[in-house]
Structure formats: structure tokens, C-alpha cells
Amino acid sequence: MNERNAVVLKEFGADLEITRFPGGRPGPGAVVADVTHAGVCGTDMHLQRGRMAIPLPVVLGHEAVGRVRELGEGVSTDATGAPLREGDLVSWASNIPCGTCFHCATEGEPSLCETRKVYGINQSCAQPPHLSGGWSEQIYLQPGSTIVKLPEGIGPQQVIALGCAGPTVVHAVLDIAKPRAGDVVVVQGSGPVGMAAAMFAAVAGASKVIIVGGPANRLDVAREIGVGDVHVDIFTETDQEARLAKVLAETPDGRGADLVIEATGVPAAVAEGMDMTRRGGKYLVVGQYTDHGPTPINPHHITRKQLRVLGSWAFSPRNHLDYVLSLPSLAARFDLDRLVTAYPLERANEALADMRAGRTLKPVLVNGDRS
């Protein structure tokens, strides 16, 4: 049986290690895919540092694209019903909800399922099928996975450019916040989630999108590919009051934004973002995926402004499907490839270090077929 390389987190706080595992054949309802592109996400940095309780060892990588190697018995179509064949380029949702719990069956919110399986996060590689994360040459896609063929004209690099940020924002912005045509939207943060939020807000019809983020290299990329109308660099505009005044001046009558989206992962940004929101506006928190601790908030401002404060957790398989299907319109408007910096699989530690230092916007591990 052929062995495959995979990047494994064996100990929190330690470097990742290349480990070889036996490649497998798919059982009924499963699919084996050769991974071509796997994204490096901010969550992966937090996982490495032990900021989430996950089973070790684990093959990291919860966002990936690959080519179907073999279909298990009973698998003949993708999530849209289109025929699925060996050799097809596919993307898959990172999670498999249980489908029967209160959140799945009653509330229709599978992103809140507490027993969902998540590739590259809560599936230990110590047990078969071992290859359960995207930072590998191959992945075993378990029964129940949401697998979708790439749309015509869309390549793997365009899919992985926004990684899990794309479906996360589909859920948060389009399903929960629901911006209206003509809204002024502020996005706090210029990483992949912030970029995706700005893109989808624009596609939804926002009249102006203001990005408050940094460092400068990220904002430069945003300007170059047309993401956001106004860009405020928090590393240059370091005074919070001056920064707030600059943002408010970009809103009608200085009243604040209709929707503010927190995509920083920094708790201190929340109070500042509420100050940027107009009376009767919406404040959406999507960036606090791992626990970075508390932050002071004056609840009087929520009452006085009659704010609608919203939260969004991860995404459902349906959100992933909607994201992939939206890519032709996103790619026509934004140069998604410009977000990506490619690394071979064996340089995963370097990719993580570069992301942590802010040297890259979206590191992607590439191996095998690079089409």
C-alpha cells in the first residue's frame, strides 16, 4: 500500500512534523482525494499553541482542494447532484454535522452542532483513516462529507484563496447580518476573514466598504485588487479617537456605519467597532473563533444606540457549497490569486511562521497536481 506524507501536530507549542501514513481505499459512502492545495488559517496558529482542546496527534488542515482518486460504493454525484468521477477537482466542507441534535434537526443551525466532525481539527490521526486533514498528500473524505466539483473556469488556487473564511463569511454576512443594498459597511480586520467580508459586502450591494486593518502590505493588496473603498491602517492611525473620527467622517452625516463586522480576533476591537456603528445599526462579531479573553464594553452604548449585536460561529456544509458556487462572480470582480503565497508541504512550519509575522496574507501548501 502506498504511503503518503502528512503534516502532523504531535505536541502543542512544538514544530509540526512530516509523517508517513498508509494511503487507503474508500469504504462505502467515502471518497479518497489527492490534495493539491491546502490553506493555512489563523485557527491553525492557535491550534499549534494549544488554544483549543483537540486530540493529538492530528493532521492539520481544515480547508483544502483536491482531485478525486477513488469513489467509494454509493458515491456517484457531488453536493449539487452533478456526476462525480475520478480525476475531478473538488472542494469539501470541513465539517460533518450529526444531523440529529437540537441544533441540527430543530434549529436548522448545523454550525452549532457540538458533535460535528471537523477535518484537521478534531479527528486524530492516531486512528484510521489517519489522513483526516488537508495538510497531506491525500485525504480520506468520510461518509456524509459535502463534496462539490469546482465550477467551470475556477481553479484550486481561487477556491483556497479565501479558504474557510469564504464560507464563514457567507454564513455570518449573508445569512446572519444580511446587509442591504446601499449600506455603508465597516470591516475591522484585513486578514482572509476581513477580505472575504469586504468582498461579500460589496457583492451584496454596499455603497461603501471601509476596511480598518493592517499591516500595510495587506491593505496594499486590498487596494490593488479592488477590495474596499477606504482603507484605514491601524499601525499608522494609532490613536483610537482619531481613527474613529476618520471612519465616521466616511459615513453619511458622520452617523456611523449601517453594519460593522469584527474580523480581527482581537477582543479590544469590539468596543471600538460598536463606536463605529450608527444608531439602529448592526454589529457582527465573527473574528473571535478562539478565546482571546474578555474586553471592557459599556452596555449603555448598546441600549442608547439600539444596536443589534450579532454573533456567528463557523459555517455549515450548505454555506461551503454556496461559497464555492459564488466563486465565478467573486473571481470576475476580484483577483483572488493575489491573496495566495504558495509553499511546498514540507515547509508548513515556515508558512505558519510567515502568517504569524504578517508577512503573508494567505499561505497555501501545494503539492502534486498544481493545476
Side-chain angles (χ1 to χ4, degrees), residues 46-363:
H46 304 317
L47 294 176
Q48 185 192 27
R49 290 181 168 177
R51 298 188 68 92
M52 293 178 69
I54 61 171
L56 298 181
V58 62
V59 177
L60 290 179
H62 55 277
E63 42 180 66
V65 181
R67 192 176 293 277
V68 174
R69 172 168 285 270
E70 188 174 354
L71 301 173
E73 180 185 348
V75 181
S76 59
T77 61
D78 75 351
T80 69
L84 192 60
R85 300 181 178 90
E86 293 178 5
D88 284 341
L89 281 166
V90 293
S91 177
W92 50 89
S94 62
N95 61 87
I96 308 174
C98 74
T100 59
C101 70
F102 169 77
H103 299 293
C104 288
T106 303
E107 289 292 285
E109 287 287 354
S111 67
L112 298 178
C113 175
E114 295 182 359
T115 60
R116 63 189 186 137
K117 300 176 181 178
V118 187
Y119 291 116
I121 294 182
N122 66 9
Q123 304 292 292
S124 172
C125 61
Q127 296 84 33
H130 304 299
L131 296 173
S132 53
W135 292 10
S136 175
E137 293 178 326
Q138 193 173 91
I139 188 168
Y140 188 97
L141 299 174
Q142 302 167 39
S145 298
T146 298
I147 302 170
V148 57
K149 289 169 59 175
L150 303 197
E152 189 70 29
I154 295 298
Q157 187 158 294
Q158 292 169 306
V159 179
I160 209 65
L162 295 176
C164 69
T168 294
V169 165
V170 167
H171 180 217
V173 176
L174 301 188
D175 284 1
I176 294 178
K178 299 178 180 177
R180 301 170 300 180
D183 276 356
V184 172
V185 177
V186 168
V187 177
Q188 295 176 280
S190 53
V193 175
M195 290 281 196
M199 290 181 193
F200 277 101
V203 170
S207 62
K208 181 185 286 187
V209 177
I210 304 164
I211 298 178
V212 183
N217 62 320
R218 291 186 170 187
L219 296 180
D220 288 343
V221 171
R223 290 188 191 95
E224 290 165 12
I225 67 173
V227 179
D229 303 294
V230 177
H231 306 83
V232 178
D233 188 341
I234 62 173
F235 295 97
T236 301
E237 198 69 72
T238 56
D239 181 80
Q240 183 174 327
E241 290 302 318
R243 194 162 60 228
L244 174 62
K246 192 169 186 176
V247 171
L248 293 180
E250 293 288 345
T251 67
D253 301 321
R255 63 174 173 260
D258 301 289
L259 169 64
V260 177
I261 303 165
E262 183 279 313
T264 65
V266 178
V270 175
E272 181 175 342
M274 287 182 176
D275 286 340
M276 296 174 178
T277 313
R278 70 167 172 83
R279 299 185 74 181
K282 290 178 280 190
Y283 187 71
L284 171 68
V285 181
V286 67
Q288 307 295 319
Y289 193 77
T290 52
D291 188 351
H292 289 271
T295 187
I297 292 175
N298 187 340
H300 171 67
H301 296 320
I302 299 174
T303 305
R304 181 179 62 83
K305 285 189 171 185
Q306 199 169 300
L307 291 183
R308 284 164 285 175
V309 180
L310 307 168
S312 179
W313 177 252
F315 58 90
S316 71
R318 177 71 213 188
N319 299 138
H320 179 84
L321 175 60
D322 289 343
Y323 163 65
V324 175
L325 296 180
S326 75
L327 281 165
S329 61
L330 279 184
R333 184 164 180 172
F334 307 107
D335 183 2
L336 299 177
D337 294 80
R338 284 279 285 109
L339 306 179
V340 171
T341 302
Y343 298 77
L345 190 67
E346 60 269 18
R347 287 168 54 193
N349 286 303
E350 180 184 343
L352 270 174
D354 286 349
M355 186 179 214
R356 187 174 285 116
R359 289 187 287 267
T360 60
L361 207 159
K362 187 61 183 180

